Amino acid sequence: MILIGQYDSPFVRRVGIALTLYGIAFEHRPWSTFGDAGRIRPLSPLTRVPVLLVDGVALTDSHLILAQLDELAPPGTALMPADPVHRLAARQLVGLATGMAETAVSLFYEKILHDHPSPLLIERRGAQVTATAAVLETAAATAATPFLCGAAITHADIALAAAVRFVTEAHPGLLDPVALPALTRRCRDLEAMEAFQAIQQPFIPPS
C-alpha cells in the first residue's frame, strides 16, 4: 500500500495512524496538494489527500479508506467497535471530529487565499469549530472508559486527536485548553502513544 499526503493533514494522519495500529506495512509519499499537485491529480482528480493505493486502486476519501482497512482487520480487532451502541457513538464522534477538522481547513484557506477574507465567514467558521469542540469536551469528560467508546482505541479517538492537533497548530488560540480540560487531557494521552508519535509532523502552511 502507498499512502499519499502530508501528516499535518488530520485526514492523512488518521489513515497513517490506523495503518500503523493495524500493523499494515505501507509506503508513505508526503506529497503536498500545492507543491505536488501534478503528481496527485492523476490519482485524485480533486487533488485531495489522503490517497491510498490498494492493489493499484486509488482510494481518495479518509472514511472510505478506513472502511477498507477495517475489512482487512482480523475479527475483533477493527478500530470501529463491534458493539452496536459503542459503534453508533464512535460514528457520531468521528463525524464531529472530522467535521471540525474540515471546517478548520476551510477557515485557514479563507484567511490565507483571499486578498480580502470574509469577516463573516471567519467568524462563522471559528464559532463552528469552538461549538464542536465544546460538544467533544463533554464526550471526553463523560466517557467512563479508557478510550472514548470502550476499553480499546477506536477511530473516534484517532479522529479526535488528529483534529484537535490540526486546529491547535493552524489556529493558535482558537481552542482554550483551560476551557477544554478533558479534551486536552485525552488528546495529550493519545499523542503520547507510539503510533501517534510515529505518524506526525508540524503544521506546514502552504506557500
Side-chain angles (χ1 to χ4, degrees):
M1 293 188 185
I2 300 173
L3 175 61
I4 296 170
Q6 297 186 343
Y7 288 149
D8 60 352
S9 160
F11 311 105
V12 177
R13 191 175 183 225
R14 68 188 290 246
V15 172
I17 290 171
L19 283 163
T20 302
L21 289 172
Y22 277 140
I24 298 174
F26 67 98
E27 176 187 339
H28 179 221
R29 296 181 183 173
W31 295 351
S32 163
T33 55
F34 281 78
D36 301 296
R39 289 196 282 185
I40 293 173
R41 194 171 295 113
L43 301 169
S44 174
L46 292 172
T47 322
R48 297 177 63 181
V49 292
V51 177
L52 186 69
L53 292 177
V54 182
D55 296 330
V57 176
L59 300 179
T60 58
D61 177 274
S62 63
H63 297 294
L64 298 179
I65 290 171
L66 293 174
Q68 176 72 18
L69 296 181
D70 290 347
E71 291 180 3
L72 300 176
T77 66
L79 290 167
M80 188 57 75
D83 175 77
V85 174
H86 285 161
R87 185 166 63 247
L88 181 62
R91 285 173 173 163
Q92 180 191 36
L93 294 172
V94 167
L96 288 169
T98 57
M100 182 174 75
E102 290 168 356
T103 303
V105 171
S106 174
L107 174 59
F108 182 80
Y109 286 148
E110 177 64 25
K111 289 179 176 180
I112 70 163
L113 295 183
H114 300 281
D115 292 334
H116 303 287
S118 167
L120 178 62
L121 189 57
I122 289 174
E123 180 180 3
R124 177 176 173 80
R125 292 286 184 263
Q128 289 172 312
V129 169
T130 54
T132 304
V135 174
L136 292 171
E137 164 67 18
T138 299
T142 56
T145 49
F147 296 96
L148 287 173
C149 300
I153 191 170
T154 71
H155 289 306
D157 303 284
I158 299 169
L160 179 80
V164 169
R165 175 165 179 159
F166 176 80
V167 174
T168 300
E169 294 190 352
H171 305 285
L174 183 57
L175 298 184
D176 179 6
V178 175
L180 304 167
L183 192 64
T184 300
R185 182 175 62 256
R186 283 190 180 267
C187 288
R188 181 193 62 223
D189 292 345
L190 288 164
E191 292 289 0
M193 294 178 64
E194 185 176 349
F196 288 75
Q197 288 289 306
I199 308 297
Q200 65 168 317
Q201 75 174 63
F203 176 63
I204 304 173
S207 57

